[in-house]
Amino acid sequence: MVQTPPGKILDATSDAALRTAAKILSEGGVVAFPTETVYGLGADGFNEKAVCRIFEIKKRPSFDPLILHVFEPAQVRSLWKTVPPLAAALIKKFWPGPLTLVLPKKEAVPDVVTAGLGTVAVRMPRNEAALKLIGYLGRPIAAPSANLYGCTSPTTAEAVREDLGDKLDLILDGGPAAVGLESTVLKIEGNTGVLLRPGGISVEEIEKFAPVVRAKPTAEEIRESPGLLKTHYAPRTPFVFFEGTTEELARDFDAAKKKLKKKDQALPRIVLLSFGKQTAPAFIEAVEVLSVKRDLTEAAANLFQAIRKLDKMHADLIVALKVPEHGIGLAILDRLRKAGGGQKGLKDFLEKWDP
Ligand code: TXA
Ligand code: MG
């Protein structure tokens, strides 16, 4: 791996560093910066060439649109055709914060940002360094999560460096991301919110303002918001999201073990991602606990770092267990299901396993 030169990572609490970063952005550079959700891979949202570099660096397909990050609510007036009452109410309540709103765009918003769609996604992050950076640039920053397309999102500067360090002009280090998973993406259609991606703001909170449609995505919606795709947020190690209990997990493993032994095959090394503290079956080699006190907010903040840690153990399989399906738990479950992609469960994996 190419080493990142020390000067490429600057402290996001330093005003001089933020000015340097803004200058790099104004000249068409690409800078990774902290937000409260995950680290972003930023470029000047109105510089088409710079935005194209984001897609190249991330290996992101050009049909997947980006979010524009603003430093004050008034900035949306230059991006959206109109600001309907529902959007205004949600902005008042949740900005700055992990809620991205999708609305019809103004002509001036570049097509590369929106992948040719007639709408643009906008959010105001709740992170001082990010807000100052956008302010110093004076234009919205286009930014996806600062990871390779389809892979686990970074919640620390170090994680960005490991994945993309040699390809970036600068990384701003603002410490670990507070929320730990991406913003909720909500499309505003009249008085209804269409949930395109569960995230940092829970559906229950948004439902206090408007009905939220959580329909199964149609092909068109997937095209509109590839965050809805089945495989995303995936580590390198095969990953299975297991909906059952640890007892059921042990039963599935025992059944497969007999078959593998008959075929004289070695057993896979399995590591576990667990919501709370619990006794793992003996065949589990290591356990990462998301929150000892079973707190969903804490679990979300630890999620991507925990997946990265397990990935580095180079096991044959990561098994993730369920978290409660409410509040931010919905977003955690969404990331776990997608990290697992098409894998149907432990049985499915073990049957196909061939070391
Ligand atoms: O928390 C976050 O949202 C982070 C930080 C950096 O702000 N950003 C992020 O960006 O997660 P990204 O590109 O990894 O995910 C943005 C999601 C994608 O699923 C994309 O398809 C969807 O938002 N999206 C963007 N523009 C859209 C649009 N006009 N219509 C529908 N979906 C859109
Ligand atoms: Mg992403």
Side-chain angles (χ1 to χ4, degrees):
M1 190 192 289
V2 185
Q3 280 300 307
T4 310
K8 256 200 186 181
I9 302 184
L10 296 180
D11 179 358
T13 59
S14 145
D15 204 57
L18 294 175
R19 299 240 179 229
T20 303
K23 185 160 186 294
I24 292 174
L25 290 173
S26 71
E27 289 165 355
V30 174
V31 173
F33 65 101
T35 84
E36 81 282 29
T37 57
V38 298
Y39 274 68
L41 187 61
D44 176 348
F46 279 79
N47 179 333
E48 298 195 18
K49 255 198 184 158
V51 174
C52 285
R53 273 191 68 204
I54 292 180
F55 285 89
E56 281 160 28
I57 292 171
K58 255 192 91 103
K59 298 197 169 71
R60 179 176 176 119
S62 56
F63 60 76
D64 192 353
L66 303 179
I67 296 171
L68 285 179
H69 297 70
V70 296
F71 79 98
E72 59 174 7
Q75 247 184 326
V76 300
R77 288 201 223 111
S78 60
L79 306 174
W80 290 333
K81 273 193 182 143
T82 56
V83 184
L86 175 55
L90 292 172
I91 286 173
K92 195 164 172 228
K93 172 74 182 169
F94 297 112
W95 282 12
L99 177 66
T100 296
L101 298 175
V102 176
L103 276 160
K105 76 175 189 84
K106 278 198 168 158
E107 200 76 15
V109 177
D111 280 340
V112 272
V113 172
T114 66
L117 295 173
T119 54
V120 63
V122 185
R123 88 175 187 99
M124 177 181 170
R126 192 176 61 219
N127 177 291
E128 212 183 299
L131 293 174
K132 276 190 185 165
L133 181 64
I134 307 163
Y136 289 159
L137 176 66
R139 284 186 295 278
I141 294 181
S145 49
N147 52 277
L148 287 171
Y149 185 70
C151 299
T152 311
S153 304
T155 53
T156 63
E158 179 56 21
V160 177
R161 190 193 63 76
E162 280 175 13
D163 287 2
L164 302 172
D166 56 317
K167 301 193 183 80
L168 307 179
D169 297 314
L170 186 70
I171 299 171
L172 287 170
D173 186 350
V179 176
L181 47 73
E182 298 85 344
S183 62
T184 303
V185 182
L186 193 76
K187 191 174 180 182
I188 304 294
E189 285 183 355
N191 286 323
T192 305
V194 180
L195 185 69
L196 295 177
R197 177 179 72 185
I201 299 288
S202 72
V203 173
E204 292 94 324
E205 278 188 89
I206 299 169
E207 275 172 343
K208 289 179 190 157
F209 290 79
V212 175
V213 189
R214 267 175 287 178
K216 268 198 153 193
T218 61
E220 191 198 351
E221 278 163 346
I222 288 179
R223 198 188 64 82
E224 276 189 26
S225 198
L228 295 167
L229 286 172
K230 261 194 167 170
T231 308
H232 220 84
Y233 315 106
R236 289 179 189 87
T237 311
F239 191 101
V240 159
F241 172 56
F242 191 79
E243 305 234 14
T245 61
T246 43
E247 289 76 30
E248 286 164 325
L249 183 70
R251 226 177 293 146
D252 282 3
F253 184 79
D254 278 341
K257 194 163 106 180
K258 283 183 196 121
K259 282 189 204 161
L260 291 171
K261 280 209 166 145
K262 253 189 213 158
K263 286 194 266 176
D264 222 20
Q265 270 179 356
L267 296 174
R269 292 174 47 228
I270 303 179
V271 293
L272 191 72
L273 183 65
S274 151
F275 175 49
K277 212 171 171 164
Q278 60 178 307
T279 346
F283 64 89
I284 296 290
E285 210 166 278
V287 185
E288 269 300 305
V289 176
L290 289 176
S291 169
V292 174
K293 48 182 199 274
R294 299 182 156 263
D295 175 74
L296 281 171
T297 305
E298 185 183 40
N302 289 331
L303 179 69
F304 288 137
Q305 269 304 93
I307 293 179
R308 278 173 187 268
K309 211 166 152 192
L310 291 172
D311 203 14
K312 283 186 182 151
M313 293 177 187
H314 303 287
D316 297 304
L317 180 69
I318 300 171
V319 173
L321 298 174
K322 269 188 314 195
V323 308
E325 199 166 1
H326 59 80
I328 202 169
L330 204 74
I332 300 177
L333 286 169
D334 168 76
R335 306 306 187 267
L336 293 178
R337 289 201 178 99
K338 282 177 186 153
Q343 292 283 3
K344 288 212 182 65
L346 187 67
K347 265 191 196 154
D348 199 42
F349 171 83
L350 290 172
E351 264 160 34
K352 285 189 229 142
W353 197 64
D354 189 9

